[in-house]
Amino acid sequence: MSLDPSPEQFRDLMATEEPDLAEVMACVFGVHRHEVRTYRTLLSAPGSTVAELASALERDRSNVNRSLSTLREKGLAERERRLLDGGGHVYQYTATPLDEARELLHEALEAWASAVHDRIDAFDGGTPVDGT
């Protein structure tokens, strides 16, 4: 998982008195609000298909598919293949439980903070602040 919150997002997050889940996830995981909305919908409707999510979210199936791919990449959703009685299969998606997602957020932020600490420790004093 890529961990590199942008300085602007991190600054905005810290300046917000009571950030919501979407703001925190956007900063830490680099996801968009519509992906957080997809995650929240999955929390309340585990085992949903892309078609069901697209309907619930009033979004195009291809956009929902992209959101689900991002959520799976970030460890926030899982996909299971279900065989259909008439042949074929369908994928069903389930959100990572909120408690586990909180833990992922903590771990990601701690890993990012550790990387920043390592960068700070690597400063040798030989490079001027303005880069010249």
Side-chain angles (χ1 to χ4, degrees):
M1 170 180 358
S2 172
L3 301 174
D4 200 9
S6 76
E8 296 81 20
Q9 283 181 311
F10 190 72
R11 214 175 3 259
D12 291 347
L13 182 66
M14 293 298 97
T16 303
E17 192 167 314
E18 291 186 35
D20 64 17
L21 179 65
E23 292 168 314
V24 173
M25 290 178 103
C27 178
V28 176
F29 291 136
V31 298
H32 299 280
R33 284 191 168 277
H34 62 86
E35 291 160 340
V36 177
R37 193 168 152 243
T38 302
Y39 171 75
R40 284 185 159 159
T41 301
L42 270 179
L43 278 175
S44 62
S48 294
T49 65
V50 171
E52 292 165 340
L53 287 168
S55 176
L57 294 164
E58 297 180 350
R59 295 186 63 222
D60 183 83
R61 287 172 52 155
S62 63
N63 290 330
V64 171
N65 245 331
R66 280 192 292 279
S67 291
L68 289 167
S69 292
T70 299
L71 292 173
R72 289 179 58 228
E73 176 185 305
K74 304 295 181 178
L76 296 169
E78 293 182 358
R79 178 177 78 176
E80 260 187 49
R81 184 176 164 190
R82 186 185 80 195
L83 296 176
L84 299 173
D85 290 338
H89 67 273
V90 66
Y91 288 111
Q92 294 178 293
Y93 296 85
T94 301
T96 299
L98 190 53
D99 286 345
E100 290 179 37
R102 281 189 194 109
E103 189 59 34
L104 289 172
L105 283 164
H106 283 293
E107 290 171 5
L109 196 53
E110 287 171 11
W112 180 79
S114 178
V116 171
H117 286 292
D118 289 347
R119 289 179 189 165
I120 291 169
D121 292 344
F123 292 147
D124 63 6
T127 305
V129 175
D130 67 1
T132 59

